[in-house]
Amino acid sequence: MRDVISEKMGISSGSIHKLLYIEEHQPDLLKLIDDGDMSINGAYKETKRQMNIISLSEYVYERKKNVPLNIENLNIYNKTSEDMSEVGNASVQTIVTSPPYYNKRTYGVDGQIGWESSIEEHLERLMTVMSECKRVLKENGSLFLVIGDSYDENGSLRQIPNRLSTRMADDGWILRNTLIWYKTNAKPENGRIKRWGTSYEYIFFFVRSMDYSFDMDKIRVPYTTEPTRHAPRHHKTNTSTFMNQQTNLQHPLGRVPRDFIEDDVIKTSFNQKEKFVPDENLEHGATFPEKLIRPFILATSKENDLVLDPFIGSGTTAKVSLENGRTCVGYEISPVFVDTSYQRCGQVKVIRI
Ligand SMILES: C[S@@+](CC[C@H](N)C(=O)[O-])C[C@H]1O[C@@H](n2cnc3c(N)ncnc32)[C@H](O)[C@@H]1O
């Protein structure tokens, strides 16, 4: 029967099966397919992922016995980060985080941020977390906020990153950079969309005061061009002093990194060897790469400093912090991801550079 329909409609029977599954479990995605904002395959995968998460949260999650819940220098609280009263005032040096995006994916837990009935309510909840961040951050501390946007039902970008960063600036945060994280392997878009494909997210670099700690030498990158060894023709070239001056135009440790960062999107939560997935099909799906955030932690904190991630997810911030001799505190509403993070950090060794 499906084959007959498929022939009449001119789409494969596999696609019909996928569309029926999407219609049953996540009918909202059908509109995105119709508008060309999502492919049938993409919507099917997203629906399957959501169903896995929901089914997982529906039964009482039994903690795995092998999960190390006591890791030195790491504390993760399984609760909303709107209240971080476990963390003292002005005790954190660096905050690195990525909040859940509005109406994008569900983590299947009551109280999760991202599914409020309006953008206003969503921003208010994020601002509650940000004001807790402000309370716990040292006067010379830094905050890195990785955040992407989403489209509303009229096809317009919601502009949540801009709205949030403006509110934060109004609340006294100093915005030092808007870094662009260009995802070199961003998801291909449906060929029928009438706009450019999405391939980047913002990273807002905020501080509380201009006295913030920052060690550029920890994050310099190699120069792409050779130092100028030849003086321009209109200069005298017969003195070695002049030659030295020209060569020294380049810093011996490398140049200042630029605000446009190219990096892969992580396909799975973390690499195969460390992989801890309570349900085979469950992946976090919204992690940031370790390589992306390492420079943030290295430049703005020192060994033994405390790093916070109020939305710790699969524990990327925790892993990079511990590897670099920092201590880490995190908040995560899903008990599954709390365990994932602890499991991921169980084998961490401090890397001395
Ligand atoms: C974008 S993900 C963070 C991913 C993380 N950066 C990583 O690399 O794995 C956002 C996380 O926030 C969690 N979350 C949602 N609402 C929360 C809340 N109210 N308090 C704390 N965590 C929350 C979600 O469960 C999800 O794991």
Side-chain angles (χ1 to χ4, degrees):
M1 177 66 179
R2 206 191 287 161
D3 289 343
V4 179
I5 299 174
S6 124
E7 208 178 310
K8 283 203 169 142
M9 290 175 67
I11 58 172
S12 72
S13 74
S15 293
I16 293 183
H17 162 78
K18 288 175 183 167
L19 284 168
L20 289 173
Y21 183 80
I22 297 164
E23 187 181 29
E24 186 181 349
H25 300 293
Q26 280 215 289
D28 290 359
L29 296 186
L30 291 176
K31 174 135 194 340
L32 295 179
I33 298 174
D34 284 346
D35 293 349
D37 277 332
M38 214 174 202
S39 65
I40 296 178
N41 248 341
Y44 177 69
K45 274 194 192 154
E46 180 60 17
T47 308
K48 281 217 95 159
R49 225 178 51 77
Q50 299 295 1
M51 294 316 294
N52 280 327
I53 292 177
I54 289 164
S55 69
L56 192 71
S57 65
E58 271 170 2
Y59 66 80
V60 180
Y61 177 67
E62 206 186 304
R63 241 167 232 281
K64 299 260 167 188
K65 288 202 178 59
N66 63 346
V67 175
L69 287 177
N70 269 321
I71 294 184
E72 215 188 329
N73 296 332
L74 174 63
N75 267 316
I76 302 176
Y77 298 99
N78 180 206
K79 57 176 276 207
T80 177
S81 47
E82 287 155 292
D83 165 19
M84 296 195 271
S85 43
E86 295 77 9
V87 184
N89 294 352
S91 60
V92 170
Q93 187 62 46
T94 298
I95 302 173
V96 182
T97 199
S98 175
Y101 300 169
Y102 187 62
N103 275 8
K104 206 134 190 212
R105 50 170 59 93
T106 170
Y107 297 95
V109 187
D110 285 347
Q112 66 180 326
I113 290 181
W115 291 92
E116 296 73 22
S117 53
S118 67
I119 294 181
E120 187 52 38
E121 206 187 310
H122 177 60
L123 288 169
E124 263 171 34
R125 288 189 76 190
L126 288 180
M127 281 307 288
T128 305
V129 179
M130 290 307 124
S131 85
E132 273 291 82
C133 286
K134 206 164 168 208
R135 176 184 67 76
V136 301
L137 193 63
K138 289 186 178 173
E139 192 60 24
N140 65 356
S142 301
L143 161 68
F144 296 87
L145 194 62
V146 181
I147 185 162
D149 211 349
S150 55
Y151 285 90
D152 69 15
E153 49 295 341
N154 300 318
S156 175
L157 276 172
R158 294 190 167 101
Q159 304 204 58
I160 286 174
N162 303 346
R163 291 174 203 254
L164 181 65
S165 67
T166 307
R167 280 182 195 213
M168 289 175 67
D170 290 346
D171 194 37
W173 289 93
I174 300 171
L175 181 59
R176 295 295 290 147
N177 281 113
T178 298
L179 307 170
I180 299 293
W181 167 25
Y182 166 53
K183 302 171 179 183
T184 45
N185 60 343
K187 266 196 220 146
E189 305 265 3
N190 181 321
R192 288 181 297 129
I193 57 166
K194 293 196 288 180
R195 58 171 174 81
W196 279 254
T198 306
S199 65
Y200 70 86
E201 287 186 24
Y202 293 111
I203 304 170
F204 295 121
F205 169 29
F206 280 109
V207 294
R208 290 196 55 187
S209 76
M210 285 306 285
D211 255 347
Y212 64 97
S213 299
F214 196 96
D215 187 349
M216 180 59 78
D217 289 350
K218 292 281 189 302
I219 59 165
R220 288 181 184 278
V221 295
Y223 287 96
T224 41
T225 51
E226 284 295 303
T228 320
R229 290 191 184 277
H230 304 292
R233 240 174 276 150
H234 58 275
H235 284 285
K236 283 209 294 184
T237 55
N238 57 353
T239 67
S240 59
T241 324
F242 181 78
M243 289 286 283
N244 284 340
Q245 274 169 3
Q246 289 296 302
T247 308
N248 286 343
L249 283 178
Q250 294 201 343
H251 192 287
L253 294 177
R255 69 169 171 80
V256 171
R258 306 247 158 76
D259 54 7
F260 183 84
I261 307 169
E262 296 186 42
D263 206 346
D264 293 357
V265 186
I266 295 288
K267 281 281 164 49
T268 55
S269 306
F270 25 94
N271 75 40
Q272 280 312 110
K273 215 171 96 215
E274 300 168 310
K275 198 165 174 178
F276 169 71
V277 181
D279 175 301
E280 268 208 330
N281 296 309
L282 179 76
E283 287 175 1
H284 192 283
T287 60
F288 42 47
E290 293 172 22
K291 202 162 76 151
L292 178 78
I293 62 159
R294 190 170 293 116
F296 307 159
I297 291 175
L298 291 180
T300 61
S301 67
K302 298 192 177 58
E303 281 196 23
N304 301 319
D305 280 345
L306 181 59
V307 177
L308 162 72
D309 188 339
F311 301 103
I312 207 156
S314 66
T316 314
T317 304
K319 181 161 185 267
V320 176
S321 301
L322 298 190
E323 273 175 355
N324 291 285
R326 276 67 171 164
T327 60
C328 182
V329 59
Y331 285 80
E332 172 54 57
I333 201 136
S334 155
V336 177
F337 293 131
V338 172
D339 285 357
T340 303
S341 296
Y342 274 117
Q343 174 74 9
R344 187 178 180 188
C345 293
Q347 310 298 325
V348 163
K349 300 258 177 307
V350 177
I351 305 166
R352 305 258 170 226
I353 305 170

